[in-house]
Amino acid sequence: MESLTCASSHLAPRPLQGASALPQVKVSYTVVQSALSKALRGERLSFEDGVNLYHSPDLLELGAVANELNLRKNGKDVYFNVNRHINPTNICALSCKFCAFSRKPGEEGSYAYSDDEIAHRAKVAADSGATEIHMVGGLHPRWKLSNYTNIISTVKAAAPHVHVKAFTAVELDWLARKERKPVAEVIAALRAAGLGSFPGGGAEIFTPYVRELICDTKLTGEGWLDIHRTAHKMGLRSNCTMLYGHIEDVGARVDHMMRLRGLQDETGGFNVFIPLAYQPENNELGINRHTFGVDDLKTVAVARLMMDNFRHIKSYWIMTGQRVAQTALHYGANDLDGTVVEEKIANMAGSKSGMQMAKSNLLRVIRDADRIPVERSTVYEPIRRYDNPAEDALV
Ligand code: V47
Ligand code: SF4
């Protein structure tokens, strides 16, 4: 195959202009082959390997290697959880260009839930078997740390046994700056109120030349990593994400994965990596296309190969739809996320996946992919392994 030099990619909808801060990479089929062999031997892949894998002309071959690596780590088990999203407010001081969820104070459609509205949602979730409340929201200009600890206490009072996975590094940074307190103090206060772990939002793309174009007022990539480092050092676990399919090039994606891999080497505190496919509607970015299946599957597969110190890669059905999410279980993913129930962030940005999935359907999606469904806790402890298909009908 012909070699070419690239900083950007045919996969990027709109290649970035100007000098890239990332190294130029020579794309060649020989490098693709050597990267696949290295991965199968358990050797760590380089930036050049990752970019080349994205340019692999053979999706099935890439998927087969990612599948093999996943089967070595997880066998045929595929995780899901019974959870519920609650977004306490969409009022936000920032204006990230990809965001369709946020509203300014007083703007039509803006909201902030009362304690009762939060408690009601948490109680309904717990009564229907949820083990996790996932909670993230906008950066409300008037909310203080006490509002956040109160939200967690409210959830815990209504649903004492659920794990509260709440607030992104962006929200933690905002609170720490508002309160003029170190992030560690903010984390300690949230933990004392009942917080169990952190979700992976706000990571977007770390690479500065992309981040500046899509969310220039947000916490930097290094800042995001620092906050997760602090949380891990305090003994809390967290998730991590990558928002792809907008203006970024594949170099930025691989760079992002490598920065997460670096922190995982240092702390081992990440539960899972979650690629988030960009949803294009009702925002200011002006990239009016959804990602396609090939890019979604490549992203999962490249992540499985590059992020060798992660056990779990999530195929988040809300962003890609059930069909691609299921197929990704053969491209390196071993987790489907959960029942979700009330998803606003992707739905307001044009996701066609709906807001919730019944547990019985999650079982079917996993089973039909010839995998074994395992209900998990937020931190990936198995709750129940559904190894007898005859029992699915009883769920
Ligand atoms: O940080 C915002 C993303 C994230 C759009 O940790 C968008 O288990 C696509 O992080 N198109 C929040 N994505 C959601 C999130 C998450 C979701 C599910 C599970 C977990 C977990 C974390 O949503 C934001 C941003 O990256 N987002 N707008 C959009 N238009
Ligand atoms: Fe605010 Fe988060 Fe939306 Fe950015 S992505 S505008 S921080 S709600």
Side-chain angles (χ1 to χ4, degrees), residues 18-32:
S20 154
L22 297 170
Q24 298 271 310
V25 166
K26 197 167 170 202
V27 175
S28 93
Y29 193 52
T30 317
V31 181
V32 173

Side-chain angles (χ1 to χ4, degrees), residues 79-80 163 312 374-384:
Y79 292 93
F80 70 95
H163 177 113
H312 305 295
V374 180
E375 184 181 342
R376 62 163 174 84
S377 71
T378 304
V379 292
Y380 288 83
E381 297 146 340
I383 293 175
R384 178 169 168 193

Side-chain angles (χ1 to χ4, degrees), residues 306-317:
M306 289 300 298
M307 303 176 81
D308 53 5
N309 50 4
F310 280 69
R311 175 160 172 205
H312 305 295
I313 310 268
K314 191 184 282 187
S315 171
Y316 186 37
W317 62 269

Side-chain angles (χ1 to χ4, degrees), residues 227-256:
I227 289 180
H228 282 257
R229 181 180 289 110
T230 303
H232 296 171
K233 287 190 173 159
M234 292 171 72
L236 284 160
R237 298 189 70 79
S238 69
N239 296 347
C240 56
T241 58
M242 174 179 79
L243 179 66
Y244 71 94
H246 43 91
I247 61 162
E248 86 292 357
D249 53 359
V250 296
R253 295 184 193 181
V254 174
D255 177 57
H256 187 95

